[in-house]
Amino acid sequence: MEATIKLSDLFKIIKGHAFLIIAITVVSISIAAIISYFVLTPIYTADTQILVNQKNEKRNQYVASSQIDADLQLINTYNVVIKSPLILSKVIEKLDLDITPEKLTEQITILNTSNSQVFTVHVEDTKASRAVEISNTIADIFKDEIPALMKVDNINILSYAKLSENPNAAKPNKLLNMGIAAIIGLMLGIGIAILIETLDTRIKTEQDIVEILDLPIIGLVSPIIDKKTINFAKETNKLSIQSRRVRRI
């Protein structure tokens, strides 16, 4: 037999287990906050923009257009060169970093908008100042090395990364993590409440009987009281009446 829950029943379950649902949600948010603020390491980012633009004063419109296409195609090559050990080894040596080129590669992302001659060296690091230094140093060394590597003169630094006075960590996003935890906690609390109600097969009210047997209720049996309780009630009633008479006298 298939068990189904009506929307009205769901609201009743949520209302009946509101404390449980709220408690689980609060615990989830608290755990997310603790992890975000005290466990996860903050990650800072820095971006340096590089412009690819071939210098050629004696070029007409068609030559310029073809040259731009060539520059755009070269960007993919430059992306590989930037993340190569040749460039990164010199960055590590210049900044005296305790890291291998392979590990440093994992911190670097090359961003490029479609059909744009500008690409961005995006660096992530646990220190904001170091992220800025790595990003700018990569751009400088790349600009110095690329003429000898590819015999080109089309690299210019469009903008350097700058260190703000109060840098904000890009990761983790604390509010987002807590929001996701709140949703998960709420869903988990409702799920547990539904599970409790589903597993609880006890008959608590007359409505439960109607739902199970699909029959109307034609009568109710009053609570059965034993003789001792009845006698005690009678004696109590007599004492109460006698005390009232005494007060009247």
Side-chain angles (χ1 to χ4, degrees):
M1 182 170 141
E2 241 177 74
T4 58
I5 298 177
K6 298 177 182 178
L7 189 59
S8 58
D9 294 335
L10 180 61
F11 285 130
K12 289 179 183 178
I13 292 173
I14 293 174
K15 185 178 179 181
H17 297 274
F19 179 79
L20 174 65
I21 295 171
I22 293 172
I24 293 176
T25 303
V26 171
V27 170
S28 299
I29 295 173
S30 302
I31 292 173
I34 292 171
I35 293 175
S36 297
Y37 281 94
F38 302 107
V39 178
L40 297 178
T41 303
I43 301 296
Y44 300 89
T45 61
D47 295 327
T48 301
Q49 290 185 321
I50 300 176
L51 173 65
V52 178
N53 185 21
Q54 185 70 30
K55 295 178 181 178
N56 190 348
E57 297 177 356
K58 298 180 181 180
R59 59 182 183 182
N60 55 37
Q61 182 179 357
Y62 299 104
V63 173
S65 178
S66 63
Q67 187 61 58
I68 290 174
D69 291 339
D71 289 340
L72 291 175
Q73 292 176 3
L74 280 173
I75 287 178
N76 292 329
T77 304
Y78 296 152
N79 292 349
V80 176
V81 174
I82 286 176
K83 299 175 75 171
S84 67
L86 176 66
I87 302 296
L88 298 186
S89 295
K90 293 184 178 181
V91 173
I92 292 171
E93 182 180 354
K94 185 174 181 179
L95 298 178
D96 193 23
L97 301 176
D98 186 18
I99 193 174
T100 63
E102 291 75 16
K103 285 292 183 182
L104 184 56
T105 301
E106 297 175 1
Q107 298 178 223
I108 302 168
T109 305
I110 307 301
L111 307 175
N112 173 242
T113 305
S114 179
N115 297 325
S116 173
Q117 291 177 271
V118 177
F119 63 93
T120 302
V121 180
H122 178 82
V123 177
E124 296 182 352
D125 198 271
T126 54
K127 291 184 178 180
S129 58
R130 190 163 57 196
V132 171
E133 289 178 347
I134 293 174
S135 181
N136 292 336
T137 304
I138 288 174
D140 288 334
I141 292 177
F142 174 72
K143 182 182 177 181
D144 294 339
E145 295 293 329
I146 201 66
L149 290 173
M150 301 184 66
K151 308 298 180 183
V152 293
D153 58 353
N154 61 337
I155 303 297
N156 294 288
I157 309 300
L158 192 62
S159 66
Y160 284 98
K162 295 180 180 180
L163 179 63
S164 61
E165 293 182 1
N166 298 307
N168 295 319
K171 300 176 184 178
N173 190 327
K174 301 178 181 67
L175 292 179
L176 178 61
N177 290 347
M178 291 170 67
I180 293 173
I183 295 173
I184 293 174
L186 185 63
M187 295 175 64
L188 182 62
I190 294 174
I192 292 175
I194 293 173
L195 183 63
I196 291 173
E197 288 294 325
T198 303
L199 296 179
D200 187 1
T201 57
R202 293 176 298 172
I203 298 175
K204 302 174 184 177
T205 63
E206 298 86 355
Q207 186 62 32
D208 292 339
I209 299 174
V210 173
E211 291 177 358
I212 294 171
L213 301 179
D214 195 20
L215 294 172
I217 296 175
I218 59 175
L220 296 174
V221 178
S222 300
I224 299 173
I225 304 175
D226 57 12
K227 291 183 179 180
K228 290 182 179 179
T229 306
I230 294 172
N231 292 334
F232 177 76
K234 287 180 179 179
E235 292 297 328
T236 304
N237 190 32
K238 287 179 182 179
L239 291 173
S240 177
I241 293 171
Q242 289 176 0
S243 63
R244 289 177 187 174
R245 289 176 180 174
V246 170
R247 287 179 185 175
R248 287 176 184 175
I249 294 172

